[in-house]
């Protein structure tokens, strides 16, 4: 129910036929743009802060524009940028991006795609991506040591400059090669355009990075590419036929846009790049060796669209696997229990949960208990009134259960900060006077930040962490905090990234999940609430059983797949202690 700012969405199309072919067959010059628009709208869930598109037209005469870009901010950005598209912008290479910021930086400057201009067609580079790099300091130092001065400190701009630098070197290599063959004038230009190796450029660029990413780009000479991180953290899917090559962040986007079957679409593999050359030949290139496979499990629980065939079944399993702990929480009294869900992203897990109870008990009582109203205009109120208005963003179905007799089970896909539970949900559910509220999360306790593209970067954001620190304080276990702090600092002093360990895991070791759950309830329980509350979380074992092909679980276990993630979580605990606790 708490919206997580996360991820980004990418969309790419390469038209393999002449533009006149699509005009004749589909009756519009805008066939490619229409498909790109649909792909972006179908991924709007992945980014609502801004959007951008880019196109490259092949075989344009010198003196005429061949590379176009449009960007806009806000939830209506997609509509805005496509309203500016003209026939002059039509091209064979199309790219789109939807943005959610993960660094706190906002504004049109930070909306993708990013464009690096040059009078040589082959040196023009346009980039976008779904990524967050954990070692940007090191990459920045690498660039500046070569004499470069990136004008903005951010992973997007620094990546643009680093890859642009490698692309420049590739073009210069080909220039020398062409001269060595005796070519002159435009023959050199054509030789360069026809022989650029984006695989070389990508290998020399991406070897510097630690993080989760799907990086996409276009060049002015007509190269199109997308590369996935070697751990497989962020997802990408592609489709190829004799008319198009297309890529998106999610499989159902391609299925819907091009009317495809599940089997028609393939997943880009870890460390792999999909490259489409200037003349339309496409290939898969292994840019970096695949590392320990760590595909993000949160994609399956929450981020990706539930219409994906596999994700739909996985979310149902996540709900069904919680049947026994929920049964225990209601003391086996299913007859006097009402089942519901919040928010809409938890609906599929809700179906799995109720299916599980039907297998055990037969029919169960299901109701739409919680509704989300339109966004209330709290900005017109004084500060003292805003919290009260915010508490009414959700409403309830009065009469949906028998007061003081029925238990109420509400399933959510995740409980992160707990703010909405405390300020709104628990208060309004209490008005129904259930015998007991069982708040269920289809994901395990979120204990650790993410550093691979999701806006969850500080330990103190998580209610599980705050509850654990409260237990430590209650029990006088400050030595544990001090020992963990010193251990984290020792990790940060290490020179060998491969030897890093997540020392923050120490603070959770003395406590059971149930102890932390009880403390979370105490902390989130609004003053004056009468109804008893119990939390039920998915287990780590249940998560992996439901989503066996996506083992990336660092949010829950602290097992980060990259050294950069491990370094940052240790730094996060040091920052927390320094800023909040003032320990020496």
């Amino acid at each position: 129910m708490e919206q997580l700012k996360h991820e980004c969405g990418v969309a790419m199309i390469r038209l393999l036929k002449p533009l006149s072919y699509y005009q004749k067959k589909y009756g519009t010059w805008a066939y490619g743009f229409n498909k790109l628009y649909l792909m972006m709208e179908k991924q709007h869930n992945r980014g609502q802060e801004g959007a951008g598109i880019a196109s490259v037209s092949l075989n344009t005469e010198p003196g005429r524009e061949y590379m176009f870009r449009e960007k806009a901010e806000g939830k209506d950005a997609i509509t805005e940028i496509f309203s500016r598209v003209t026939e002059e912008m039509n091209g064979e290479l199309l790219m789109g991006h939807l943005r959610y910021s993960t660094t706190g930086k906002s504004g049109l400057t930070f909306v993708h795609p990013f464009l690096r201009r040059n009078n040589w067609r082959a040196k023009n580079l346009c980039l976008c991506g779904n990524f967050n790099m954990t070692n940007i300091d090191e990459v920045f130092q690498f660039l500046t040591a070569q004499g470069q001065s990136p004008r903005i400190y951010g992973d997007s701009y620094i990546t643009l400059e680093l890859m642009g630098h490698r692309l420049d070197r590739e073009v210069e290599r080909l220039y020398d090669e062409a001269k060595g063959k005796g070519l002159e004038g435009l023959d050199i230009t054509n030789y360069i355009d026809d022989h650029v190796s984006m695989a070389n450029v990508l290998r020399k660029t991406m070897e510097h990075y630690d993080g989760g990413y799907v990086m996409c780009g276009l060049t002015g000479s007509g190269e199109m590419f997308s590369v996935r991180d070697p751990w497989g953290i962020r997802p990408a899917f592609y489709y190829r036929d004799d008319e198009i090559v297309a890529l998106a962040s999610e499989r159902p986007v391609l299925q819907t846009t091009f009317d495809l079957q599940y089997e028609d679409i393939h997943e880009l593999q870890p460390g792999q790049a999909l490259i489409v050359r200037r003349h339309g030949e496409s290939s898969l290139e292994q840019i970096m060796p695949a590392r320990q496979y760590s595909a993000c499990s949160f994609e399956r629980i929450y981020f990706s669209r539930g219409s994906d065939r596999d994700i739909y079944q996985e979310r149902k399993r996540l709900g069904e696997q919680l049947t026994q702990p929920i049964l225990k929480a209601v003391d086996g009294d299913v007859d006097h229990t009402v089942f519901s869900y919040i928010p809409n992203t938890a609906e599929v897990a809700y179906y799995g949960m109720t299916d599980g109870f039907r297998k055990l008990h037969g029919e169960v009582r299901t109701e739409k208990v919680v509704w989300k109203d339109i966004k209330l205009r709290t900005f017109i109120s004084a500060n003292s009134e805003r919290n009260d208005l915010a508490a009414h963003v959700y409403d309830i179905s009065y009469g949906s259960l028998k007061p003081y007799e029925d238990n109420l089970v509400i399933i959510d896909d995740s409980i992160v900060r707990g703010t909405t539970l405390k300020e709104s949900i628990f208060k309004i559910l209490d008005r129904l006077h259930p015998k007991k509220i069982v708040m269920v999360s289809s994901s395990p306790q979120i204990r650790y930040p993410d550093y691979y593209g999701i806006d969850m970067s500080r330990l103190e954001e998580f209610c599980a962490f705050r509850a654990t620190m409260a237990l430590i304080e209650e029990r006088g276990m400050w030595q544990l905090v001090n020992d963990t702090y010193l251990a984290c600092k020792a990790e940060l002093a290490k020179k060998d990234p491969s030897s890093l360990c997540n020392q923050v895991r120490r603070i959770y070791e003395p406590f059971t999940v149930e102890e932390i759950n009880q403390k979370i309830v105490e902390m989130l329980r609004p003053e004056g609430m009468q109804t008893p509350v119990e939390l039920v979380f998915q287990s780590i074992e249940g998560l992996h059983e439901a989503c066996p092909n996506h083992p990336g679980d660092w949010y829950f276990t602290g097992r980060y797949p990259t050294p950069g993630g491990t370094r940052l979580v240790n730094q996060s605990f040091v920052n927390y202690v320094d800023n909040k606790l003032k320990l020496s």
Side-chain angles (χ1 to χ4, degrees):
M1 70 198 68
E2 297 164 304
Q3 185 186 47
L4 295 177
K5 293 184 177 181
H6 63 86
E7 301 284 322
C8 290
V10 296
M12 303 185 78
I13 299 174
R14 174 60 157 90
L15 302 177
L16 300 176
K17 304 285 188 182
L19 294 178
S20 58
Y21 171 91
Y22 304 93
Q23 170 84 53
K24 181 177 180 180
K25 182 172 181 178
Y26 299 105
T28 174
W29 64 265
Y31 169 80
F33 277 115
N34 289 342
K35 293 299 187 183
L36 186 68
Y37 172 79
L38 184 56
M39 290 172 72
M40 293 177 69
E41 281 290 5
K42 291 296 180 183
Q43 295 182 105
H44 211 164
N45 58 297
R46 300 185 73 88
Q48 299 173 28
E49 291 183 0
I53 56 175
S55 65
V56 173
S57 180
L58 301 176
N59 306 314
T60 305
E61 293 295 323
R64 296 188 61 186
E65 183 60 86
Y66 54 87
M67 202 166 192
F68 301 87
R69 179 187 61 171
E70 291 288 342
K71 303 194 294 184
E73 288 187 276
K75 61 182 179 61
D76 298 320
I78 298 176
T79 302
E80 183 178 341
I81 56 178
F82 278 93
S83 70
R84 302 181 202 152
V85 170
T86 64
E87 189 168 0
E88 181 188 17
M89 297 169 60
N90 200 21
E92 292 85 353
L93 287 75
L94 306 173
M95 181 168 73
H97 185 267
L98 294 142
R99 182 176 192 259
Y100 256 136
S101 62
T102 59
T103 61
K105 296 177 180 178
S106 61
L108 197 60
T109 301
F110 296 97
V111 175
H112 302 207
F114 298 98
L115 183 58
R116 191 176 191 261
R117 291 288 199 180
N118 194 284
N119 276 343
W120 287 79
R121 286 181 68 114
K123 289 187 177 183
N124 283 268
L125 177 64
C126 194
L127 281 185
C128 74
N130 172 18
F131 63 90
N132 199 55
M133 305 305 188
T134 64
N135 66 330
I136 199 64
D137 291 346
E138 290 90 336
V139 179
F140 181 79
Q141 291 166 11
F142 172 78
L143 271 179
T144 54
Q146 297 183 88
Q148 295 195 60
S149 298
R151 59 191 179 88
I152 294 177
Y153 187 87
D155 53 5
S156 302
Y157 272 94
I158 289 173
T159 302
L160 179 70
E161 290 304 321
L162 178 57
M163 191 176 297
H165 172 71
R166 298 314 317 177
L167 182 60
D168 289 348
R169 300 290 81 77
E170 172 71 9
V171 171
E172 289 156 11
R173 178 186 70 81
L174 291 171
Y175 178 88
D176 291 341
E177 196 173 281
K179 292 287 286 185
K181 293 178 178 291
L183 300 179
E184 299 288 343
L186 286 178
D187 289 337
I188 293 178
T189 302
N190 293 332
Y191 182 86
I192 292 170
D193 289 352
D194 287 343
H195 291 85
V196 168
S197 172
M198 282 311 303
N200 286 346
V201 174
L202 292 173
R203 288 189 182 103
K204 293 179 184 299
T205 302
M206 305 317 297
E207 67 181 3
H208 296 283
Y209 281 108
D210 178 301
Y213 56 84
V214 171
M215 191 74 66
C216 302
L218 312 173
T219 72
S221 58
E223 304 289 312
M224 185 179 96
F225 62 88
S226 179
V227 59
R228 188 181 185 192
D229 68 81
W231 298 271
I233 295 171
R234 300 271 72 89
F237 298 86
Y238 66 91
Y239 168 73
R240 298 186 285 188
D241 64 18
D242 62 346
E243 288 188 358
I244 60 160
V245 178
L247 179 136
S249 295
E250 300 187 27
R251 186 192 306 268
V253 172
L254 295 171
Q255 287 186 256
T256 299
T257 300
F258 298 103
D259 190 19
L260 303 172
Q261 298 301 310
Y262 177 96
E263 294 76 15
D264 297 329
I265 298 163
H266 304 282
E267 186 170 5
L268 198 61
Q269 295 303 303
Q272 195 176 65
L274 172 65
I275 297 175
V276 187
R277 301 296 311 280
R278 170 179 173 79
H279 295 293
E281 315 95 315
S282 62
S283 63
L284 295 168
E285 303 281 348
Q286 195 68 36
I287 301 303
M288 291 156 293
R291 307 291 288 271
Q292 180 180 354
Y293 186 59
S294 302
C296 173
S297 58
F298 227 146
E299 283 277 354
R300 320 302 283 184
I301 298 166
Y302 175 79
F303 295 144
S304 294
R305 293 167 65 89
S307 56
D308 181 275
R309 185 192 75 177
D310 294 341
I311 292 175
Y312 184 83
Q313 295 301 327
E314 288 168 13
R315 290 182 182 176
K316 285 191 72 175
R317 286 198 294 271
L318 285 167
E320 184 171 352
Q321 287 172 182
L322 291 163
T323 302
Q324 288 299 328
I326 296 171
L327 189 65
K328 180 180 177 182
V330 299
D331 295 324
D333 190 3
V334 180
D335 290 330
H336 294 94
T337 298
V338 172
F339 296 88
S340 194
Y341 65 91
I342 181 174
N344 289 341
T345 50
E347 185 176 2
V348 179
Y350 162 78
Y351 293 143
M353 175 183 69
T354 51
D355 283 351
F357 273 96
R358 289 189 181 100
K359 292 175 183 178
L360 285 176
H361 186 269
E363 280 307 304
V364 293
R365 297 166 60 193
T366 60
E367 301 286 352
K368 175 73 171 176
V369 173
V370 182
W371 301 79
K372 187 171 185 179
D373 284 341
I374 59 172
K375 193 170 185 179
L376 296 172
R377 298 192 175 187
T378 57
F379 63 85
I380 65 175
S381 307
N383 287 338
S384 60
E385 298 171 319
R386 287 180 183 166
N387 285 344
D388 183 60
L389 283 172
H392 292 82
V393 170
Y394 291 92
D395 207 347
I396 50 173
S397 299
Y398 291 96
S400 55
L401 56 78
K402 296 176 183 177
Y404 308 106
E405 293 185 22
D406 290 333
N407 301 304
L408 176 59
V409 174
I410 297 276
I411 190 168
D412 193 353
D413 41 43
S414 59
I415 299 173
V416 186
R417 300 173 182 92
T419 309
T420 307
L421 287 176
K422 182 179 180 67
E423 299 297 334
S424 181
I425 299 298
F426 283 161
K427 289 180 179 179
I428 62 170
L429 293 180
D430 196 40
R431 297 175 189 170
L432 292 173
H433 304 297
K435 180 181 177 182
K436 183 179 187 180
I437 295 171
V438 180
M439 192 72 216
V440 182
S441 170
S442 64
S443 72
Q445 288 177 352
I446 297 173
R447 298 181 170 189
Y448 303 93
D450 178 74
Y451 300 107
Y452 305 119
I454 299 150
D455 187 20
M456 297 192 300
S457 60
R458 294 181 301 131
L459 283 163
E460 58 266 36
E461 294 181 22
F462 308 116
C463 58
F465 177 81
R466 297 197 307 272
T468 302
M469 294 305 296
L471 288 170
I472 287 172
E473 182 175 11
E474 278 182 8
R475 301 181 188 184
M477 300 170 64
W478 289 112
Q479 189 61 44
L480 173 62
V481 177
N482 193 63
D483 291 346
T484 302
Y485 175 81
L486 295 175
C488 288
K489 295 201 78 169
E491 291 296 321
L492 294 173
K494 288 182 176 179
K495 301 297 184 184
D496 179 10
S498 64
S499 67
L500 288 172
C501 297
N502 177 3
Q503 298 294 344
V504 186
R505 298 177 71 186
R506 290 165 168 245
I507 69 161
Y508 293 103
E509 290 173 358
F511 309 108
T512 65
V513 170
E514 290 72 23
E515 287 177 305
I516 297 173
N517 284 353
Q518 291 170 11
K519 182 53 65 175
I520 292 173
V521 170
E522 288 179 30
M523 296 174 64
L524 300 185
R525 188 181 185 85
E527 187 177 350
M529 182 178 183
Q530 301 297 312
T531 309
V533 177
E534 184 170 341
L535 291 180
V536 172
F537 281 91
Q538 182 66 256
S539 67
I540 300 297
E541 295 76 18
L543 168 68
H544 291 307
E545 184 178 341
C547 309
N549 299 318
H550 290 75
D553 62 2
W554 55 91
Y555 318 90
F556 318 114
T557 66
R559 294 192 292 258
Y560 289 88
T562 77
T566 305
R567 177 176 56 81
L568 288 174
V569 73
N570 285 314
Q571 185 66 62
S572 183
F573 190 78
V574 170
N575 293 345
Y576 171 78
V577 172
D578 286 344
N579 296 332
K580 301 290 184 181
L581 303 182
K582 309 297 183 185
L583 291 183
S584 59

